[in-house]
Amino acid sequence: MKVTLDTVFYSNSGDRKILQACLKSWFRNPKDLQFTDPRMSYPFDFRKWCALSYTEENIKTFVVKKDKWIVAHLSEKVILENKQAHLFHLFVDQEHRQLGLAKMLIDHAVEMAEKLKLSYITLAVVHKNQRGISIYKKAGFEENGLTTHGNIKMKKKI
Ligand SMILES: CC(C)(COP(=O)(O)OP(=O)(O)OC[C@H]1O[C@@H](n2cnc3c(N)ncnc32)[C@H](O)[C@@H]1OP(=O)(O)O)[C@@H](O)C(=O)NCCC(=O)NCCS
């Protein structure tokens, strides 16, 4: 399967329109939405999604495209003063799972953080999401306590 990896921005209105259409079709499954962002409720509300996570400038979103269609998504927020990157909203389209696309996005995000000479990468994952936890562990993340909402915090030193 030939795919490409691009960077898009929720702050760009063109990118935002495309992402909106894409996410609307992805989040027909409430469990997927819950795993991707436990603060969201079903049915998917794009304005709430943006208001909760994309108001700051320091966020890039990496997307995997197949024939120009977005099939996977991961966002990375860089907090330069902490030398930290935070990953969130990892999602792979149902029909494109088990092909290594999540791994491809995580590896790319790690590479970007390395290029910026950051010290560590953080993320949080719902404790029921064993597949997510296992993918992050394989990528070198370790469990690092719980968030105030009881989700698992993970951290990878660079
Ligand atoms: C979790 C999720 C992102 C995984 O995406 P994915 O693209 O299927 O993940 P990958 O293909 O990179 O890896 C998944 C598994 O496939 C395996 N794999 C990778 N390449 C493969 C290949 N070519 N053939 C078969 N299996 C492969 C990986 O080793 C991994 O194995 P594991 O199940 O033992 O951990 C996806 O299921 C998803 O979007 N879920 C809903 C939202 C969600 O949970 N997001 C994470 C929030 S923290």
Side-chain angles (χ1 to χ4, degrees):
M1 180 174 62
K2 195 178 175 301
V3 294
T4 54
L5 209 155
D6 278 357
T7 303
V8 297
F9 298 88
Y10 277 82
S11 52
N12 174 303
S13 61
D15 288 348
R16 203 173 161 113
K17 249 188 178 163
I18 293 167
L19 288 163
Q20 178 171 18
C22 181
L23 296 171
K24 227 174 116 182
S25 83
W26 280 349
F27 292 130
R28 291 207 185 103
N29 175 348
K31 191 174 150 201
D32 273 358
L33 179 58
Q34 168 73 18
F35 274 4
T36 309
D37 189 336
R39 297 168 303 172
M40 294 291 293
S41 50
Y42 191 76
F44 179 68
D45 176 347
F46 184 70
R47 279 173 66 169
K48 183 175 174 192
W49 173 266
C50 294
L52 283 174
S53 304
Y54 295 98
T55 53
E56 293 165 68
E57 292 289 313
N58 51 344
I59 299 168
K60 282 180 179 166
T61 299
F62 307 122
V63 294
V64 177
K65 286 184 182 169
K66 183 187 157 201
D67 303 330
K68 296 190 180 161
W69 285 94
I70 296 176
V71 293
H73 173 291
L74 173 68
S75 295
E76 183 170 57
K77 173 163 131 178
V78 172
I79 307 152
L80 269 181
E81 58 273 33
N82 296 351
K83 289 188 160 258
Q84 173 191 3
H86 184 75
L87 304 188
F88 60 101
H89 291 169
L90 172 64
F91 187 88
V92 177
D93 172 44
Q94 283 277 0
E95 284 168 25
H96 296 84
R97 292 187 184 166
Q98 300 282 312
L99 296 171
L101 298 186
K103 184 178 183 310
M104 184 179 172
L105 283 169
I106 295 165
D107 289 349
H108 182 70
V110 171
E111 226 174 83
M112 291 297 110
E114 281 170 354
K115 274 196 186 147
L116 289 172
K117 302 209 181 320
L118 304 180
S119 303
Y120 63 101
I121 309 178
T122 56
L123 58 89
V125 53
V126 177
H127 73 273
K128 278 189 197 151
N129 192 353
Q130 287 306 324
R131 159 153 286 176
I133 294 167
S134 130
I135 289 173
Y136 291 128
K137 282 192 174 161
K138 279 188 193 169
F141 285 81
E142 290 176 354
E143 290 189 23
N144 184 39
L146 296 179
T147 66
T148 45
H149 295 100
N151 298 318
I152 296 174
K153 291 203 269 184
M154 299 190 87
K155 184 172 177 173
K156 177 184 167 76
K157 285 204 185 107
I158 301 176

